[in-house]
Amino acid sequence: MNSSERENIKAAYKATFTKKIEEVSGNCLADASLLKQYQALAEMVMESITSQWAKTNTLYNKNESKQVYFFSIEFLIGRLMKSYLSNLGVEELVQECSAEMGLDYEAILAQESDPGLGNGGLGRLMACYLDSSSAMGMPAHGNGIRYKYGLFEQRIINGEQIEVADNWLKNGYPFEIRNPDKSVIIKYYGQIHSENINGNLTFVHENYEAIMAVPYDIPIKGYRNETVNSLRLWSAEPLEAFDLPSFNQGHFLNAVRHKSEAEAISQILYPNDNGFDGKLLRLKQEYFFVCAGIKRIIVDFKRSNNNSMDGFSDKICIHINDTHPALCGPELMRVLMDEEGLGWEESWKITVAAMSFTNHTVLPEALEKWPVDMMKDLLPRIYMIIEEINRRFLLDLDNEFPHDLDRNHSLSIIRDNYVHMASLAIVSSHSINGVATLHSKILREETFNGFYQVFPKRFYSVTNGVSPRRFLMNSNPELKTLINDSIGPDWDHNLFDLKKLLNYINDPVFYQKFDAVKLSNKVRLANYMARYNNVTVDPNSIFDIQVKRIHEYKRQLLNALHVLYLYNRLKENPNLEMAPRTFIFAGKAAPGYYYAKEVIKLITAIAELVNNDPSLHDKLKVVFLANFNVSLAEIIYPAANISEQISTAGKEASGTGNMKFMMNGAITLGTMDGANIEILDAVGPSNIVSFGLSADEVHHYQKYGGYRSIDIFEQDPRIQQVLHQLIDGTLGYGLSFQAIYDSLLLYNDGYFVLKDFNAYADAQNQVDHLFRNPTIWTKMSISNVANSGIFSSDRSIADYQREIWKII
Ligand code: F58
């Protein structure tokens, strides 16, 4: 494009934008608020995406290629405007025009609410996978819930977490299209009776409560290509807004009761990460989007397949993201048998061939199991089908492993009066995969070992990945520019090309530029902390960052205790030689998770102590950033020097934050857990700092005992000092962290914090030494970026495509 063509395009953009402002606000540009500017831009974006979207759908509707449907209870998509603009290839243009029109581009983008429709890694992974599928021109769509309130907003008040409702829809959401014509009726409760209709045994559902599922579709635009896939989020509505007879009789509350009961289903995202609390409303949610999603898939499939179900599983993959959508199996069976008139065998064949399952956790407390009575009552037909799936499965087991009653019982989907959702997911899927190599091994050898013996060929492993567009190109534009200037722009389609950066691994000029980018990102984060935390930090200090949900197994406590230990060392010896450090934490605790909330309190108390002690001469700073979400994450990862990935080995299925940090040049300080192991493989041992018990060692202690935390405490005065400080008032008058203290000593430190403490302190010391040699440090950092290609979600999607969905 020559410059006069560009000027014409810019002039056209400005004219359209000005007109749009008038349309959306009734004001001229000069009087339009930032929100209206954002809404105008969003409308323009939607206008340029929707015709591509329609074209993509028309193509897909011909059923020529196999399509994947991700079912997930969470899609943590983050803000979309920047992605749309960059994927359309117009971001620079919009930036330039905005500046020329005197508008604040970043402030306009900041008007977008950040949809918190997920707790953490599981939900974010889905968003990355949708992004990658579209980028690769692959037909893959999402099915989930349009929660009216996302994950709570976290405020820190007096050092404690306070939860505030996340009303992300308050200004409307411009990137969704409501499609009431595609609504589906969902039936709960009632009774099932069988009838002989025209010689066929038919199951009839009576006296049910009906709820309407209304889809809202969000376009997922591919990176600089023509593909626009869909994320379909279902919203619950009553069939009729209110009950007129009740209203007419003056029972006003009754008249709207049904409305609010219906809406409750998609009202709120459950804020539990890695825990299962068995609430009825959650089971309603699970069936809600499963039933609605499956119905639409079948209607669409049949419409373009001569009204027939032939070849369904050759053309449709139903991929379930953990067990929350595991009712996809029985629901698909129900539709195939009760609505499509197929027999059990044929329906079962189709179901297993269509379904695949990814597991995301091995924590026993997170594995879902629903009381039989609850399931039977709420979903009577589904429960009947589960019983039959189980009966047939147990029969097969008895044939294959006769006389092995105990073992066969342990695999039963229904046992001890519960429906075990992981068992259901495994039995009804042709593929089961873990999310990192170690995790998949633990699934095969421990968690699902019994199933592995029955179905060895169903087990796969696909290591997670993250979107390089969101977590590198868009969130670290300076690094993107430096990479483009160094190795050319083609790495944007193949992240493995980042390896070409290794050509600069000894180039001092490149080092300077690379360090300047990091510093600039650190300054941005430092400004954020000055503004929101009122803490001044030195951008040249080590930015040592742990951001993720707060959980005992993730061991923010280990990090916090080490900060206290470092504080003690500095107090003893103010001349201690060390690079200045800024320890940065962020993450939400589940509202009902007392211990995790205590950990937040502890971190903020340590921050108070450390940040206000002038005798430390600014060598140590601690910051807890409130309300960790996707938008904040995008500012944090580019600014990190150290990526803290310190879970108890064997507990973190994969981790994806570790990958986002690595892509931005942070050095992983981690245990040999989840994908950290693969990060080590990718960068080599000299470019990572690892420490701590292995998963095997942890497993051994857990199974056979042999670890006594009190022994460590008694032998190590430094640990004694730190633990005493938890309860002796050091951290604030009247502040005592007795529960944490007790968990470590009285309850024998279930997550091996004290056991790993010394190894961690040594590793931290090593970090200090490495950082104080800038050449070595920069080299390590460049190596991390250069070797991060394997952690692109494009690679993960290619793996799924090849190994699991078998799309050629
Ligand atoms: C996470 N799980 C894993 N669950 O903890 C993490 O290791 C992994 O990298 C990631 O999945 C992606 O595979 C996770 O985020 C949840 O948040 C669930 C949400 C639904 C309720 C139960 C927890």
Side-chain angles (χ1 to χ4, degrees):
M1 191 192 311
N2 66 34
S3 68
S4 85
E5 281 166 348
R6 194 172 162 80
E7 283 313 311
N8 287 342
I9 291 180
K10 281 169 63 179
Y13 170 84
K14 290 177 191 170
T16 316
F17 182 76
T18 311
K19 185 92 194 81
K20 255 293 163 239
I21 288 281
E22 292 166 5
E23 276 171 32
V24 300
S25 69
N27 279 315
C28 62
L29 181 56
D31 296 327
S33 65
L34 277 172
L35 179 64
K36 291 295 174 187
Q37 295 173 24
Y38 156 72
Q39 284 168 346
L41 184 56
E43 280 207 12
M44 287 171 70
V45 162
M46 282 300 266
E47 277 160 19
S48 43
I49 290 177
T50 41
S51 57
Q52 275 184 10
W53 199 9
K55 267 191 216 148
T56 308
N57 283 330
T58 307
L59 191 74
Y60 291 167
N61 285 340
K62 292 188 186 143
N63 271 349
E64 276 161 6
S65 55
K66 201 169 185 177
Q67 303 203 46
V68 178
Y69 291 89
F70 292 111
F71 279 76
S72 177
I73 195 110
E74 304 187 348
F75 286 88
L76 187 43
I77 51 181
R79 287 182 177 147
L80 294 185
M81 179 80 91
K82 201 178 178 63
S83 300
Y84 284 137
L85 293 174
S86 138
N87 290 354
L88 284 163
V90 297
E91 199 193 4
E92 266 177 38
L93 177 105
V94 173
Q95 254 168 325
E96 241 176 81
C97 291
S98 304
E100 290 169 15
M101 294 166 90
L103 304 174
D104 183 342
Y105 174 71
E106 292 298 331
I108 295 175
L109 296 195
Q111 292 300 304
E112 182 174 353
S113 55
D114 182 339
L117 308 186
N119 274 284
L122 172 146
R124 183 55 231 175
L125 188 78
M126 278 298 100
C128 287
Y129 283 2
L130 287 178
D131 178 89
S132 281
S133 302
S134 292
M136 296 162 80
M138 212 196 76
H141 313 281
N143 259 290
I145 298 178
R146 181 180 180 269
Y147 299 104
K148 186 163 179 210
Y149 295 96
L151 188 65
F152 63 89
E153 207 182 286
Q154 178 194 54
R155 309 249 166 94
I156 300 294
I157 298 179
N158 294 331
E160 294 186 38
Q161 168 175 301
I162 303 295
E163 298 99 23
V164 177
D166 166 45
N167 190 3
W168 68 285
L169 287 166
K170 67 174 183 293
N171 296 326
Y173 187 61
F175 301 126
E176 64 183 6
I177 294 188
R178 177 182 158 94
N179 283 312
D181 50 318
K182 294 185 176 152
S183 298
V184 174
I185 291 176
I186 317 292
K187 299 175 182 174
Y188 297 110
Y189 301 107
Q191 295 86 38
I192 306 295
H193 76 257
S194 52
E195 269 175 32
N196 197 317
I197 301 179
N198 302 330
N200 291 323
L201 184 66
T202 311
F203 291 89
V204 182
H205 196 170
E206 288 175 328
N207 302 324
Y208 51 79
E209 286 180 16
I211 302 278
M212 182 101 86
V214 183
Y216 287 71
D217 293 343
I218 299 174
I220 308 293
K221 161 90 187 85
Y223 177 68
R224 301 195 182 167
N225 65 18
E226 302 281 294
T227 300
V228 184
N229 291 328
S230 304
L231 168 58
R232 175 162 284 173
L233 299 179
W234 296 91
S235 178
E237 293 181 13
L239 286 189
E240 277 153 27
F242 61 68
D243 176 9
L244 208 53
S246 288
F247 185 78
N248 288 338
Q249 286 162 25
H251 305 311
F252 302 123
L253 279 181
N254 259 353
V256 292
R257 209 196 68 225
H258 179 63
K259 180 173 187 311
S260 33
E261 275 174 15
E263 287 170 352
I265 293 177
S266 56
Q267 194 80 0
I268 181 109
L269 166 86
Y270 274 91
N272 287 333
D273 64 323
N274 292 294
F276 169 66
D277 63 5
K279 293 270 183 352
L280 174 68
L281 184 59
R282 174 63 153 207
L283 185 57
K284 282 190 180 172
Q285 290 184 333
E286 293 186 359
Y287 184 63
F288 172 73
F289 80 103
V290 159
C291 175
I294 295 274
K295 181 73 188 178
R296 276 324 305 179
I297 292 171
I298 291 183
V299 169
D300 289 348
F301 176 80
K302 280 177 66 186
R303 203 185 38 227
S304 43
N305 202 47
N306 295 322
N307 211 25
S308 144
M309 287 298 288
D310 289 353
F312 182 79
S313 52
D314 299 330
K315 288 290 176 295
I316 305 287
C317 300
I318 294 177
H319 194 92
I320 60 173
N321 193 37
D322 221 300
T323 58
H324 322 102
L327 294 176
C328 276
E331 174 61 12
L332 185 54
M333 289 296 287
R334 185 189 71 76
V335 178
L336 293 175
M337 294 188 302
D338 297 359
E339 295 181 9
E340 300 300 325
L342 304 186
W344 182 279
E345 266 87 16
E346 198 184 348
S347 303
W348 185 241
K349 233 168 128 179
I350 295 175
T351 300
V352 176
M355 280 195 38
S356 43
F357 160 48
T358 298
N359 168 282
H360 296 264
T361 184
V362 296
L363 298 187
E365 65 270 28
L367 296 179
E368 288 192 292
K369 51 178 191 169
W370 292 103
V372 161
D373 287 344
M374 189 190 282
M375 181 89 87
K376 215 185 212 165
D377 195 35
L378 183 70
L379 306 168
R381 179 65 181 136
I382 290 299
Y383 182 73
M384 282 171 79
I385 294 173
I386 295 175
E387 266 188 326
E388 183 60 12
I389 293 174
N390 195 38
R391 191 186 68 80
R392 290 175 182 243
F393 171 59
L394 292 179
L395 268 182
D396 289 350
L397 271 186
D398 283 338
N399 285 335
E400 210 177 324
F401 306 93
H403 317 302
D404 209 345
L405 291 184
D406 278 356
R407 215 195 57 141
N408 293 354
H409 171 76
S410 75
L411 301 185
S412 182
I413 298 169
I414 303 170
R415 59 179 195 278
D416 309 326
N417 268 318
Y418 285 98
V419 178
H420 292 258
M421 300 296 267
S423 311
L424 176 64
I426 294 172
V427 173
S428 36
S429 302
H430 65 274
S431 152
I432 296 105
N433 75 285
V435 288
T437 305
L438 172 68
H439 173 232
S440 304
K441 177 172 179 278
I442 294 174
L443 291 185
R444 286 191 306 269
E445 295 178 359
E446 292 160 40
T447 323
F448 299 146
N449 179 257
F451 285 107
Y452 178 59
Q453 290 176 33
V454 182
F455 304 122
K457 294 211 174 99
R458 288 191 187 183
F459 281 74
Y460 294 83
S461 182
V462 178
T463 298
N464 283 342
V466 301
S467 162
R469 289 159 290 280
R470 181 168 293 265
F471 290 107
L472 172 51
M473 300 169 199
N474 293 345
S475 55
N476 198 342
E478 291 184 48
L479 184 56
K480 173 182 146 184
T481 305
L482 174 61
I483 299 174
N484 281 345
D485 292 349
S486 312
I487 63 171
D490 289 347
W491 60 279
D492 67 347
H493 280 91
N494 178 7
L495 211 69
F496 284 101
D497 276 0
L498 285 177
K499 280 228 188 289
K500 293 183 187 157
L501 285 175
L502 294 174
N503 294 334
Y504 296 87
I505 201 74
N506 292 314
D507 179 344
V509 179
F510 184 78
Y511 277 29
Q512 263 183 16
K513 295 181 188 161
F514 188 85
D515 289 343
V517 169
K518 180 60 81 182
L519 184 63
S520 149
N521 290 323
K522 288 170 78 176
V523 168
R524 177 167 62 148
L525 182 59
N527 290 339
Y528 183 95
M529 295 191 285
R531 176 161 177 205
Y532 292 101
N533 286 64
N534 203 15
V535 179
T536 314
V537 309
D538 172 6
N540 290 307
S541 63
I542 305 177
F543 276 23
D544 179 324
I545 311 190
Q546 186 171 23
V547 288
K548 49 183 77 245
R549 287 299 290 264
I550 312 290
H551 202 287
E552 279 160 288
Y553 86 81
K554 296 181 187 277
R555 298 200 297 192
Q556 283 91 355
L557 179 60
L558 176 58
N559 188 348
L561 294 181
H562 173 259
V563 177
L564 206 48
Y565 159 76
L566 212 53
Y567 169 78
N568 293 337
R569 284 185 61 197
L570 273 171
K571 291 297 278 184
E572 271 164 33
N573 175 11
N575 297 322
L576 184 74
E577 267 201 43
M578 63 172 264
R581 276 259 199 158
T582 304
F583 288 96
I584 298 164
F585 295 83
K588 297 177 184 176
Y593 191 174
Y594 172 76
Y595 194 91
K597 290 179 138 178
E598 282 292 291
V599 169
I600 294 181
K601 228 161 100 182
L602 173 64
I603 295 168
T604 55
I606 296 176
E608 274 298 299
L609 176 76
V610 166
N611 298 346
N612 297 315
D613 189 331
S615 75
L616 302 180
H617 301 298
D618 288 339
K619 278 189 174 159
L620 204 55
K621 284 280 161 78
V622 179
V623 181
F624 188 96
L625 292 169
N627 203 35
F628 184 55
N629 60 11
V630 178
S631 303
L632 180 53
E634 289 166 11
I635 304 176
I636 291 176
Y637 296 123
N641 296 121
I642 282 290
S643 152
E644 296 264 359
Q645 306 301 335
I646 59 178
S647 51
T648 312
K651 305 286 178 209
E652 187 70 271
S654 162
T656 43
N658 46 5
M659 303 168 183
K660 297 163 195 165
F661 276 114
M662 177 194 186
M663 242 172 227
N664 286 281
I667 313 302
T668 305
L669 166 58
T671 47
M672 286 297 92
D673 198 16
N676 298 350
I677 300 175
E678 286 149 86
I679 290 182
L680 182 143
D681 291 344
V683 290
S686 51
N687 296 312
I688 183 171
V689 180
S690 60
F691 73 95
L693 293 174
S694 68
D696 280 344
E697 286 166 330
V698 168
H699 182 67
H700 196 274
Y701 280 126
Q702 284 185 325
K703 203 160 171 190
Y704 304 106
Y707 167 51
R708 279 167 33 98
S709 59
I710 195 81
D711 293 343
I712 297 197
F713 177 78
E714 277 167 359
Q715 285 153 22
D716 193 331
R718 300 175 311 177
I719 289 184
Q720 281 170 23
Q721 183 186 10
V722 169
L723 292 203
H724 280 143
Q725 287 169 327
L726 294 179
I727 51 173
D728 70 2
T730 304
L731 294 167
Y733 180 72
L735 256 188
S736 168
F737 295 92
Q738 192 69 44
I740 294 179
Y741 182 90
D742 287 348
S743 80
L744 293 172
L745 294 179
L746 207 58
Y747 300 108
N748 202 29
D749 183 19
Y751 293 90
F752 301 90
V753 172
L754 299 188
K755 183 77 184 157
D756 272 345
F757 187 87
N758 279 326
Y760 180 62
D762 290 347
Q764 282 287 21
N765 210 13
Q766 197 187 334
V767 165
D768 177 67
H769 282 107
L770 290 167
F771 191 81
R772 283 193 279 146
N773 185 330
T775 310
I776 292 191
W777 189 265
T778 305
K779 194 172 189 165
M780 289 175 78
S781 185
I782 297 169
S783 298
N784 271 272
V785 179
N787 290 302
S788 66
I790 192 170
F791 299 113
S792 162
S793 43
D794 299 356
R795 188 272 311 146
S796 311
I797 287 296
D799 288 355
Y800 276 103
Q801 190 168 342
R802 198 179 55 250
E803 305 281 327
I804 293 176
W805 307 321
K806 308 221 177 341
I807 304 174
I808 354 94

